[in-house]
Amino acid sequence: MSGKHEHKNIEPEQVQESTTKRRGEGYLLLHDVVYMVAIVTLVFTFVVRMVGVSGPSMTPTLLDGDYVLVQSNFTYKNVEVGDVVVMLVRSYDDQPIVKRVIATEGQTVNIDFWEGKVYVDGVLLDEPYINNYDLNPYQTTKDYALGMEYPLTVPEGKIFVLGDNRDHSADSRYADIGLVDERCILGRVMLIVWPFSEIGRVK
């Protein structure tokens, strides 16, 4: 056996072919990454959004610091009573707020501020989702409801919203928020996605 190693000569054409192949694979990878980023961007713009909850107004349904997946207003068109929605309200410097829809256009809302009860079209709401509250929780609320007359009928294109934590929620009871224009809705809350221990559908 010969102790000499045989060296295989690599032709310049082979080097060029190998380089071209690697460049082609790199371009394909870049194309795939750009394509996926574009899809994710479109999904999170037109289909769903991620929103952080700030404050205690939706306790116990949503807690301060929760992150929720929101169905975008591009696909969420039919607002229904009971939906939890994210909105932009001018009195909050266009910061998103999260509330529950209590009544939609054409429905009549009445609030017993002494008993803390809400009626829609004359029917007392069954609200298992609200936080336990002290006796007469709406007493101080009435002091802020300047310009709000009850019972009130929700006009076309508006909604009446309340927080689930009625003792600590600025909502449609307050004149500076009042009836919210449906065009201010960013979307409907579907899921809690953070913290992981609380992942689940919002009711």
Side-chain angles (χ1 to χ4, degrees):
M1 293 181 63
S2 173
K4 295 181 180 180
H5 297 284
E6 294 183 1
H7 297 279
K8 186 176 180 180
N9 293 327
I10 301 177
E11 298 296 332
E13 293 81 2
Q14 292 177 306
V15 174
Q16 184 176 359
E17 181 181 347
S18 177
T19 303
T20 302
K21 183 179 180 181
R22 287 197 300 270
R23 285 178 179 173
E25 291 173 349
Y27 288 140
L28 285 175
L29 178 60
L30 179 61
H31 174 272
D32 291 343
V33 170
V34 171
Y35 187 71
M36 290 304 297
V37 169
I39 291 177
V40 170
T41 300
L42 288 173
V43 167
F44 276 87
T45 300
F46 297 104
V47 182
V48 295
R49 299 175 180 178
M50 197 83 72
V51 175
V53 177
S54 178
S57 72
M58 284 299 292
T59 302
T61 306
L62 300 172
L63 305 181
D64 182 34
D66 284 352
Y67 278 84
V68 294
L69 192 66
V70 176
Q71 179 186 1
S72 173
N73 56 3
F74 285 98
T75 58
Y76 174 61
K77 299 299 182 183
N78 299 318
V79 182
E80 297 183 359
V81 172
D83 288 350
V84 177
V85 296
V86 179
M87 304 162 290
L88 288 178
V89 179
R90 287 185 179 180
S91 57
Y92 275 74
D93 298 323
D94 288 333
Q95 293 298 313
I97 62 172
V98 185
K99 306 295 174 186
R100 187 180 295 275
V101 178
I102 299 300
T104 60
E105 61 180 59
Q107 294 185 300
T108 300
V109 179
N110 200 7
I111 297 178
D112 185 334
F113 284 91
W114 288 97
E115 297 294 332
K117 295 179 180 179
V118 180
Y119 298 82
V120 175
D121 293 335
V123 179
L124 175 64
L125 293 185
D126 178 22
E127 301 185 286
Y129 43 75
I130 65 175
N131 197 34
N132 292 328
Y133 48 73
D134 299 329
L135 184 64
N136 301 334
Y138 302 163
Q139 296 297 301
T140 55
T141 305
K142 192 171 185 180
D143 296 335
Y144 292 95
L146 301 175
M148 303 292 290
E149 299 289 337
Y150 294 93
L152 65 82
T153 299
V154 181
E156 183 179 357
K158 303 283 187 178
I159 56 174
F160 186 96
V161 298
L162 294 175
D164 288 355
N165 189 8
R166 301 288 162 78
D167 279 344
H168 303 282
S169 175
D171 44 45
S172 288
R173 294 171 294 173
Y174 291 76
D176 62 344
I177 294 179
L179 297 166
V180 179
D181 195 307
E182 288 188 4
R183 291 172 296 183
C184 295
I185 298 175
L186 295 179
R188 176 178 65 92
V189 176
M190 299 187 298
L191 299 170
I192 298 173
V193 295
W194 177 264
F196 291 141
S197 60
E198 300 296 328
I199 287 179
R201 183 180 176 185
V202 173
K203 298 180 181 179

